[in-house]
């Protein structure tokens, strides 16, 4: 009698089935047995020690070992909301209940000690965990310790890799991995990254995973042409060198492509959601199928192994929201394993099948000690068949994408002020402030069906609801922190709708204060724009000096124009400045009203300019035609306009349509929204802007502020009309005379830059079936073209799809509205209405030399992602501390950080501990004129003014392992050995190499009054 049978016997003899309120009424999961019986079952597991590779099952070295990975893939929102998925409501949308899956899996694992299971989505698991009894929690801890329940990936979610910013990826991974560390210690630490469903894979994602300490990375989706090539060449597994700057093996990550995406092999799916029949081993039964299933499995295993290099292969046994009745799965897998392995003696079979995990499979690959090929590029774009490019989601739901990026900005401000003010930020005169709800909401938004824009409409609304709910306790925290640091209790007001000129306080009162917080580690000059009523205003800086200001009337789509007060602020590093605004008189001043310009004026050249940039517009069309960088003596013809692709609804070549995931235009050439624009010109001492109106649903403001080395294009698109039953995908296109030879460049999750070549893939010969969609790539923060001397860079304020479809041209998709579903599971067209239908955004355009362009776009992108936070108050608040005078200016740093260093994270980690991440934001060789690509050494001991660092520990990127003791599996690349440097931490001399991120846990003592 085997161990599993003994364990089952223990249960059947001495332990009654559990009953009570924890039993599900759905009848799909066996209830958890009482604690004493579970303890007996746990003790029955043979040969288990501490979690890690040493708990892996025994393999047969001279056989083909088939590793069965029992798993469930639980989307944190898609067809149902997060809560609907967890609790199992809305069955008419989709049959899925995560709480029942976890209940059922734990019971099934306890029934047989050889069974193993992996779980991934900590957003769900943490919720389930907190609802369990202490007894159940101890049982689960023991399963984890024995390696029978293993966590893979370990992030709050399985994040998207195209539309996500690297800072938000790091945050969500840190949140999930910290839960595992706090709950299970080192036993719960995932060894393997597991991205089986994201729709393409970025190089930066692999780099981040490597820096987090993962030993390997398994992915499911791969371009169909790429996969065929890899199977033929036996390159389904290789080493991914995920950074061109970080010294190997820092960003090297072993990467494997799973054979069947993440699904079970055909005919071998034994879930309530599947239709495959069970294993019937009774030869007397007319349903007997065991012999045929065994033969089929043996054939499948041998066939699959031909595409891999070792005597190990993996089969994923599970799929979306499976294992709600885990016994159904495991009972059939138990039979399959026993029957297949019985063939070893009966018929001399060379196949050994076993319960395993991704980590245990990886461990066997590592022990094979092979030399592996090296990959340097990424896995974008992804296509699952001809004419089926998943490049539409790079832009889908642009309003949600912008809300997510704004929320990242606000979360970093919230985290920083919580760190600078200490406990006073959490409990103060405005109530209880808390950064955790926004941190969790932002983590949820990184899910591959959230920020990607590929959920159903009601789920997208729920994602936005979670963000809004997270903002509120952060606003309380900001109020507490600012009051503490300023020394006065003001009635703080937040104006989240400034982009549409709405802020009740500034529009209603005659005097108010403007507190501007700067989350960057360098001083920032920023133009504040506040909606006001008409009048003359006096603005004073923190030293009570008068600041130049202007009131500008901006055109509106409504009947009434908007008046905006403009003034420039200077804000110290990691600090704030307080400006006062007072209305002097209500009589109409000489406000600067846009002046209509006839579109066919042949004698008037239309320009806007400042001391650095001049932009020229055609008097015939009103369109941008030329940009001049007067500082660098560069002049480039640039024609910018809006176009739209007619979304395919299927044709004789393919039935594939454009949808939330898929981009497929019906023709290669887009149609112009308009060939000319109605224009209005504004010129003041503080701003010059040209307002362009292309149609009832498309307009733009081209803007220059003093001192600005870039041209700002603020576009407004929507609601896109689809009354003609034509889905439309709207682009902003820049056409230049640059000779670019089919090459352009995009960022990878906002960090390193990748070269793109039209109709080309670096690792296989591409058969291009979609010349437009097949050349689209994710643009998280920037895209550029160059002729080797001059570079044109366009920065985005959210993730978008972009390309260069002809030499000298750049295009970015800003919005899309479609009338058909693309057949990838959502089941509804991307037909947003309400707030998501009308979108406003910005493109920042830089014209520079190749030698100095990186300094421009790196520092501008940093400033765009972490923009200053504007907070208003009426002024005249009570003193916070009677012994201290109020502050009107504050910096959290004793000295600014060098321009090449970015303060990526400053956040509370514990009662007297902070999380600190410092990043070198330039790549090797990007900037030689100012030495911004050189290593930088910092002294951390006296860096901050609000607190003193009393202890410092360096960790891996996700802060779940001390760097001094962290180690990873070593792999042999076919490019030769990679030397490893000794590790030493000196707080007085922390050196950052190009593109390096260093993470610290700092024990601190806060200074009185900040």
């Amino acid at each position: 009698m085997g161990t599993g049978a003994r364990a089952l016997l223990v249960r059947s003899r001495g332990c009654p089935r559990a009953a009570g309120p924890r039993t599900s009424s759905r009848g799909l999961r066996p209830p958890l047995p009482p604690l004493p019986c579970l303890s007996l079952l746990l003790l029955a597991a043979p040969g288990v020690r501490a979690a890690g590779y040493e708990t892996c099952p025994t393999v047969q070295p001279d056989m083909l070992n088939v590793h069965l990975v029992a798993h469930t893939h639980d989307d944190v929102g898609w067809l149902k909301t997060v809560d609907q998925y967890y609790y199992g409501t809305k069955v008419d949308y989709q049959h899925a209940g995560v709480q029942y899956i976890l209940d059922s899996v734990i019971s099934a694992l306890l029934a047989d000690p050889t069974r193993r299971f992996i779980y991934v989505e900590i957003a769900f698991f943490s919720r389930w965990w907190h609802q369990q009894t202490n007894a159940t929690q101890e049982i689960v801890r023991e399963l984890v310790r024995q390696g029978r329940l293993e966590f893979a990936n370990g992030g709050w979610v399985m994040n998207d890799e195209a539309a996500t910013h690297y800072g938000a990826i790091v945050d969500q991974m840190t949140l999930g991995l910290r839960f595992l560390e706090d709950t299970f210690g080192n036993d719960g630490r995932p060894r393997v990254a597991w991205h089986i469903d994201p729709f393409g894979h970025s190089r930066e994602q692999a780099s981040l995973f490597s820096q987090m300490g993962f030993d390997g990375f398994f992915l499911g989706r791969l371009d169909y042409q790429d996969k065929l090539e890899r199977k033929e060449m036996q390159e389904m597994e290789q080493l991914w060198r995920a950074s061109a700057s970080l010294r190997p093996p820092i960003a090297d990550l072993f990467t494997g492509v799973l054979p069947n995406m993440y699904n079970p092999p055909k005919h071998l799916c034994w879930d309530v959601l599947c239709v495959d029949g069970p294993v019937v081993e009774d030869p007397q039964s007319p349903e007997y199928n065991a012999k045929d299933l065994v033969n089929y499995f043996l054939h499948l295993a041998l066939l699959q192994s031909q595409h891999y290099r070792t005597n190990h292969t993996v089969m994923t046994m599970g799929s979306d929201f499976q294992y709600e009745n885990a016994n159904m799965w495991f009972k059939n897998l138990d039979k399959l394993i026993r029957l297949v392995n019985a063939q070893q003696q009966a018929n001399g079979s060379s196949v050994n099948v076993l319960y395993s995990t991704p980590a245990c499979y990886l461990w066997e690959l590592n022990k094979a000690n092979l030399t592996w090929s090296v990959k340097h590029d990424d896995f974008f774009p992804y296509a699952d068949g001809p004419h089926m490019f998943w490049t539409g989601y790079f832009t889908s739901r642009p309003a949600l994408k912008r809300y997510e990026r704004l929320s990242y900005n606000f979360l970093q401000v919230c985290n920083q002020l919580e760190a600078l003010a200490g406990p006073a930020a959490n409990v103060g005169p405005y109530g209880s402030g808390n950064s955790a709800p926004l941190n969790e909401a932002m983590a949820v938004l990184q899910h591959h069906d959230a920020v990607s824009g590929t959920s159903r409409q009601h789920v997208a609304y729920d994602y936005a609801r979670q963000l809004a709910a997270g903002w509120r306790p952060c606003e309380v925290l900001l109020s507490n922190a600012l009051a503490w640091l300023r020394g006065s209790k003001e009635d703080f007001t937040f104006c989240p709708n400034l982009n549409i000129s709405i802020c009740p306080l500034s529009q209603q009162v005659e005097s108010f204060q403007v507190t501007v917080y700067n989350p960057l580690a360098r001083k920032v000059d920023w133009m504040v724009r506040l909606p006001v009523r008409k009048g003359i205003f006096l603005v004073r800086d923190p030293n009570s000096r008068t600041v130049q200001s202007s009131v500008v009337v901006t055109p509106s789509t409504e009947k009434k124009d908007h008046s905006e007060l403009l003034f420039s602020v200077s804000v110290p590093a990691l600090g704030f400045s307080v400006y006062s605004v007072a209305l002097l008189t209500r009589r109409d001043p000489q406000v600067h009203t846009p002046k209509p310009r006839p579109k066919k004026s042949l004698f008037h050249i239309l320009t806007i300019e400042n001391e650095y940039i001049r932009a020229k517009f055609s008097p015939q069309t009103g369109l941008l035609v030329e940009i001049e960088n007067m500082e660098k003596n560069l002049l480039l013809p640039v024609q910018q306009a809006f176009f739209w692709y007619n979304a395919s609804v299927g044709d004789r070549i393919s039935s594939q349509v454009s949808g939330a995931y898929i981009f497929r235009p019906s023709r290669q050439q887009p149609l112009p929204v308009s060939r000319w624009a109605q224009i209005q010109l504004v010129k003041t001492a503080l701003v010059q802007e040209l307002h362009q109106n292309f149609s009832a649903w498309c307009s733009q403001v081209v803007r220059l502020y003093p001192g600005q080395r870039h041209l700002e294009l603020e576009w407004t698109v929507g609601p896109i009309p689809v009354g003609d039953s034509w889905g439309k995908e709207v682009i902003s296109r820049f056409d230049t005379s640059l000779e670019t030879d089919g090459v352009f460049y995009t960022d990878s999750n906002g960090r390193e830059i990748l070269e793109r070549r039209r109709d080309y893939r670096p690792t296989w010969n591409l058969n291009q079936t979609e010349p437009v969609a097949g050349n689209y790539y994710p643009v998280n923060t920037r895209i550029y073209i160059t002729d080797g001397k001059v570079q044109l860079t366009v920065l985005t304020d959210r993730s978008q799809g972009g390309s260069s479809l002809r030499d000298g041209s750049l295009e970015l998709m800003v919005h899309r509205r479609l009338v058909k579903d693309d057949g990838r599971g959502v089941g509804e067209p991307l037909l947003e209405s309400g707030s998501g239908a009308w979108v406003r955004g910005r493109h920042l355009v830089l014209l520079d030399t190749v030698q100095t362009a990186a300094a421009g776009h790196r520092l501008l992108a940093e400033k765009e992602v972490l923009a200053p936070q504007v907070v208003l108050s009426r002024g005249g608040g009570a003193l916070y501390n009677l012994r201290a005078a109020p502050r009107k200016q504050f910096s959290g740093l004793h000295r600014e950080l060098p321009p090449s260093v970015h303060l990526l994270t400053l956040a509370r980690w514990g009662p007297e501990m902070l999380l600190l991440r410092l990043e070198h934001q330039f790549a090797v060789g990007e900037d030689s004129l100012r030495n911004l690509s050189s290593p930088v050494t910092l002294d951390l001991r006296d860096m901050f003014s609000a607190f003193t660092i009393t202890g410092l520990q360096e960790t891996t990127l996700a802060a779940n392992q001390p760097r001094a003791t962290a180690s990873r599996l070593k792999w042999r690349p076919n490019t030769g050995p990679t030397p490893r440097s000794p590790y030493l931490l000196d707080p007085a001399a922390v050196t950052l190499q190009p593109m390096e991120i260093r993470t610290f846990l700092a024990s601190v003592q806060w200074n009185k009054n900040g």
Side-chain angles (χ1 to χ4, degrees):
M1 186 180 292
T3 333
R6 282 200 301 272
L8 287 170
L9 185 62
V10 168
R11 174 174 175 176
S12 63
R13 286 177 179 173
C15 300
R17 296 183 65 86
R22 293 180 53 79
T23 304
S24 167
S25 62
R26 296 166 70 100
L28 291 176
R29 65 176 179 92
L32 292 176
L35 179 60
C37 305
L38 294 178
S39 300
L40 288 172
L41 289 170
L42 289 167
L43 292 172
V48 289
R49 300 179 295 281
Y53 298 114
E54 58 271 24
T55 67
C56 288
T58 302
V59 298
Q60 300 298 326
D62 299 324
M63 291 186 172
L64 172 62
N65 293 276
V66 183
H67 296 247
L68 302 184
V69 175
H71 81 104
T72 180
H73 174 60
D74 298 342
D75 289 306
V76 186
W78 181 40
L79 307 183
K80 305 202 291 189
T81 68
V82 181
D83 286 74
Q84 289 166 356
Y85 271 137
Y86 179 77
Y87 289 109
T89 61
K90 301 294 182 183
V91 181
D92 52 330
Y93 293 174
Q94 185 182 7
H95 184 103
V98 175
Q99 61 172 336
Y100 307 121
I101 292 171
L102 289 166
D103 287 346
S104 182
V105 164
I106 298 304
S107 292
L109 289 176
L110 295 170
D112 187 331
T114 65
R115 293 174 175 176
R116 293 170 183 260
F117 192 82
I118 67 163
Y119 199 74
V120 177
E121 294 84 7
I122 304 306
F124 284 135
F125 185 87
S126 62
R127 183 183 294 203
W128 177 85
W129 175 263
H130 292 305
Q131 294 176 1
Q132 304 310 301
T133 63
N134 292 339
T136 300
Q137 289 180 352
E138 285 306 310
I139 291 159
V140 174
R141 283 194 178 96
E142 184 64 16
L143 287 172
V144 172
R145 188 189 73 81
Q146 295 179 6
R148 292 160 62 191
L149 175 61
E150 177 179 296
F151 295 100
N153 213 64
W156 203 248
V157 300
M158 185 186 296
N159 66 257
D160 178 55
E161 299 186 40
T164 42
H165 186 267
Y166 73 97
I169 294 174
V170 171
D171 284 351
Q172 80 87 12
M173 287 299 301
T174 301
L175 182 63
L177 291 171
R178 185 180 188 186
F179 170 84
L180 293 177
E181 175 68 22
D182 290 347
T183 308
F184 302 106
N186 193 54
D187 293 344
R189 178 169 66 83
R191 269 62 175 177
V192 165
W194 182 257
H195 269 207
I196 54 174
D197 197 25
F199 330 121
H201 302 278
S202 73
R203 194 176 75 173
E204 189 59 37
Q205 181 76 56
S207 176
L208 296 175
F209 276 152
S210 181
Q211 295 173 69
M212 290 173 189
F214 286 102
D215 287 325
F217 181 23
F218 290 102
L219 50 91
R221 294 187 185 273
L222 187 71
D223 185 280
Y224 72 104
Q225 293 183 51
D226 192 5
K227 189 171 184 177
L228 284 172
E229 178 90 5
R230 289 177 180 279
K231 288 170 76 172
E232 289 178 10
M233 302 296 293
Q234 281 195 331
E235 288 200 340
M236 294 286 276
E237 294 161 336
Q238 60 180 171
L239 200 63
W240 197 349
R241 183 149 293 163
S243 172
S245 292
L246 296 173
R247 187 177 62 253
I250 293 173
D252 287 1
L253 189 63
F254 183 89
T255 302
V257 180
L258 297 171
N260 199 34
M261 204 163 75
Y262 60 89
N263 299 310
K266 192 176 180 182
H267 306 307
L268 301 179
C269 185
W270 294 301
D271 193 83
V272 293
L273 301 175
C274 300
V275 296
D276 297 339
V279 180
V280 180
E281 53 183 329
D282 178 6
Q284 304 304 317
S285 170
E287 299 300 317
Y288 174 70
N289 63 1
K291 183 178 180 180
D292 288 344
L293 273 178
V294 167
N295 290 335
Y296 169 71
F297 182 87
L298 291 171
H299 173 74
L300 190 70
L302 293 170
L303 195 66
Q304 182 175 298
S305 69
Q306 295 175 12
H307 306 305
Y308 294 82
R309 296 179 58 204
T310 72
N311 64 322
H312 295 269
T313 191
V314 63
M315 291 185 185
T316 45
M317 292 299 185
S319 193
D320 292 359
F321 297 99
Q322 295 197 359
Y323 285 80
E324 197 168 316
N325 182 353
N327 180 60
M328 188 172 175
W329 252 115
F330 280 115
K331 188 169 187 175
N332 285 282
L333 288 175
D334 291 345
K335 292 180 180 180
L336 180 72
I337 291 171
R338 176 167 46 80
L339 291 168
V340 170
N341 288 343
Q343 296 298 307
Q344 297 170 15
Q345 292 184 344
N347 297 314
S349 166
S350 61
V351 175
N352 178 57
V353 60
L354 65 153
Y355 281 116
S356 188
T357 66
C360 293
Y361 173 64
L362 183 76
W363 174 236
E364 297 301 332
L365 298 182
N366 183 261
K367 288 193 295 183
N369 200 30
L370 299 179
T371 298
W372 302 93
S373 61
V374 178
K375 179 180 177 64
H376 296 274
D377 58 320
D378 64 1
F379 289 99
F380 283 118
Y382 163 62
D384 57 355
H387 310 285
M388 301 172 181
F389 284 91
W390 296 46
T391 54
Y393 81 95
F394 300 161
T395 296
S396 294
R397 301 196 188 280
L400 184 64
K401 282 178 164 64
R402 178 58 182 158
Y403 193 15
E404 182 275 335
R405 187 67 61 85
L406 277 173
S407 298
Y408 175 76
N409 190 166
F410 192 60
L411 176 60
Q412 303 316 307
V413 170
C414 186
N415 285 338
Q416 290 179 8
L417 283 168
E418 188 175 24
L420 293 172
N426 302 114
V427 180
Y430 306 91
S432 297
N434 192 359
S435 60
L438 184 55
N439 195 18
E440 291 186 13
M442 270 297 296
V444 167
L445 261 290
Q446 306 317 304
H447 167 59
H448 57 267
D449 284 307
V451 69
S452 59
T454 54
S455 71
R456 282 189 175 170
Q457 183 64 61
H458 81 281
V459 180
Y461 287 148
D462 188 68
Y463 287 138
R465 178 198 62 79
Q466 292 184 60
L467 288 177
W471 276 62
R472 286 190 287 272
C474 259
E475 288 176 353
V476 175
L477 188 153
L478 259 67
S479 299
N480 285 335
L482 289 174
W484 168 257
L485 295 170
R486 281 188 53 173
S488 63
K489 304 174 187 176
E490 303 292 342
D491 185 15
F492 294 112
T493 298
F494 297 84
C495 293
N497 296 318
L498 286 177
N499 68 320
I500 54 173
S501 299
I502 296 176
C503 182
L505 183 66
S506 64
Q507 291 171 298
Q508 293 171 6
V509 304
E510 295 190 350
S511 65
F512 53 91
Q513 291 185 340
V514 181
T515 303
V516 185
Y517 177 81
N518 169 26
L520 297 184
R522 279 171 301 288
K523 179 178 78 73
V524 160
D525 295 322
W526 188 262
M527 187 65 70
V528 172
R529 295 182 74 120
L530 296 173
V532 293
R533 290 183 292 181
K534 290 182 180 179
I536 299 175
F537 291 84
L538 176 65
V539 181
R540 295 186 183 275
D541 70 8
N543 297 312
S544 297
R545 293 187 295 250
T546 301
V547 175
Q548 186 179 17
S549 63
S550 296
V551 174
V552 174
V553 176
T554 59
S556 171
T557 52
E558 304 162 6
K559 293 182 179 179
K560 186 173 71 171
D561 290 338
H562 296 297
S563 296
E564 289 188 318
L565 173 68
L566 276 67
F567 59 95
S568 181
V569 298
S570 182
V571 193
L574 208 68
F576 62 78
S577 294
V578 181
Y579 286 72
S580 63
V581 177
L583 176 69
L584 294 181
T585 176
R586 287 209 179 278
R587 66 180 176 82
D588 281 347
Q590 291 184 341
V591 294
H592 304 277
T593 306
K595 299 174 178 58
R597 296 279 177 169
K599 67 177 185 296
K600 290 190 179 289
S601 168
L602 300 177
F603 307 103
H604 187 82
I605 298 174
L606 293 172
T607 62
I608 60 172
E609 63 182 278
N610 63 13
E611 59 268 46
Y612 300 114
I613 302 292
R614 179 183 292 128
K616 187 179 295 184
F617 302 83
S618 165
Q620 288 79 27
T621 65
L623 303 182
L624 176 70
V625 293
E626 185 180 274
I627 301 176
E628 182 180 358
N629 182 331
M630 296 180 286
E631 184 183 27
K632 304 287 178 65
N633 197 27
L634 299 174
L635 183 70
L636 183 67
V638 180
Q639 293 182 314
Q640 184 272 336
F642 290 90
F643 299 82
W644 60 277
Y645 290 104
N646 186 6
S648 175
V649 293
D651 54 30
R652 59 180 179 80
I653 300 174
S654 170
S655 61
Q656 182 60 59
V657 308
S658 254
Y661 300 94
I662 306 290
F663 170 37
R664 187 174 183 236
S666 62
R667 48 180 285 182
Q668 293 185 33
Q669 296 302 322
L671 301 167
V673 172
S674 176
R675 300 187 185 278
W676 58 274
Q678 292 180 333
I679 57 174
Q680 293 179 298
L681 188 63
V682 175
K683 287 193 176 184
T684 79
L686 293 183
V687 70
Q688 294 193 13
E689 52 191 33
L690 186 82
H691 295 248
Q692 302 169 314
N693 188 31
F694 299 96
S695 74
W697 53 272
C698 183
S699 62
Q700 182 170 257
V701 181
V702 186
R703 182 179 291 129
L704 274 173
Y705 293 119
Q708 189 172 281
R709 287 180 165 86
H710 64 273
L711 189 64
E712 177 181 323
L713 281 64
E714 185 181 65
W715 47 267
T716 303
V717 174
I720 300 172
V722 291
D724 52 10
S725 298
W726 287 1
K728 297 175 180 65
E729 320 202 43
V730 183
I731 63 167
S732 173
R733 194 174 76 192
F734 300 79
D735 294 316
T736 77
S737 57
L738 293 175
E739 296 179 2
T740 53
D741 196 26
V743 175
F744 59 106
Y745 301 83
T746 65
D747 67 300
S748 182
N749 300 108
R751 288 203 87 219
E752 296 197 35
I753 305 296
L754 290 176
E755 179 184 288
R756 311 297 191 183
R757 189 177 295 273
R758 195 160 56 247
D759 295 330
Y760 174 79
R761 303 291 186 266
T763 54
W764 84 89
N765 293 323
L766 173 68
N767 175 25
Q768 182 63 277
T769 60
E770 288 289 327
V772 177
N775 283 306
Y776 256 63
Y777 289 88
V779 178
N780 203 265
T781 57
R782 77 210 79 175
I783 181 172
Y784 66 80
I785 52 175
T786 176
D787 63 358
K789 298 176 182 178
V790 175
Q791 180 170 315
L792 183 75
T793 308
V794 181
L795 278 71
T796 65
D797 65 351
R798 74 202 75 194
S799 293
Q800 296 174 332
S803 188
S804 174
L805 297 179
R806 60 187 184 193
D807 285 359
S809 179
L810 278 184
E811 64 182 62
L812 287 158
M813 188 180 292
V814 297
H815 203 353
R816 56 203 308 259
R817 198 169 184 218
L818 308 168
V819 297
K820 297 285 186 180
D821 173 64
D822 56 16
R824 295 308 185 275
V826 175
E828 66 180 29
L830 186 68
L831 196 60
E832 289 187 281
S833 58
S835 58
W838 184 72
V839 183
R840 177 168 289 168
R842 296 192 307 152
H843 288 150
L844 309 181
V845 183
L846 286 162
L847 176 64
D848 212 335
T849 64
V850 168
Q851 291 78 10
T852 57
H857 70 69
R858 287 281 179 199
L859 298 178
L860 184 57
E862 179 192 33
K863 191 175 175 181
E864 178 68 17
V865 171
L866 289 183
Q869 176 66 43
V870 176
V871 183
L872 272 58
S873 58
R874 292 176 180 268
L879 291 177
Y880 197 102
N881 187 338
L882 296 176
R883 293 170 294 177
R887 281 196 188 107
K888 288 198 171 181
Q889 200 159 45
F890 164 82
S891 175
L893 295 174
H894 283 302
R895 54 194 173 275
E896 290 189 2
L897 296 185
S900 52
V901 177
H902 172 53
L903 179 63
L904 179 59
T905 307
L906 178 64
R908 286 281 290 281
W909 191 257
E912 295 180 345
M913 188 170 288
L914 301 180
L915 175 63
L916 171 66
R917 288 191 185 95
L918 295 165
E919 168 194 8
H920 197 307
Q921 61 179 340
F922 282 80
V924 167
E926 267 190 335
D927 184 278
S928 55
L929 295 181
R930 295 171 59 186
N931 291 322
L932 295 179
S933 290
S934 300
V936 180
T937 300
L938 304 170
D939 185 348
L940 303 189
R941 295 172 301 175
D942 190 34
M943 179 180 291
F944 297 94
S945 65
F947 52 82
T948 302
I949 295 177
T950 58
L952 199 66
Q953 180 189 53
E954 186 165 8
T955 69
T956 51
L957 180 59
N960 66 331
Q961 299 176 71
R963 181 172 170 181
T965 57
S967 64
R968 298 200 298 143
L969 296 180
K970 296 177 176 59
W971 303 90
R972 296 171 55 198
N974 62 6
T975 54
T978 52
R980 285 163 169 78
S981 304
Y983 170 71
L984 180 67
L985 173 61
D986 178 5
V990 172
T991 299
L992 292 167
Q993 301 294 332
M995 279 291 134
E996 183 178 19
I997 303 174
R998 296 186 67 173
T999 306
F1000 305 91
L1001 293 178
S1003 300
V1004 300
Q1005 184 174 343
W1006 280 276
N1007 303 331
K1008 291 184 178 180
N1009 297 324

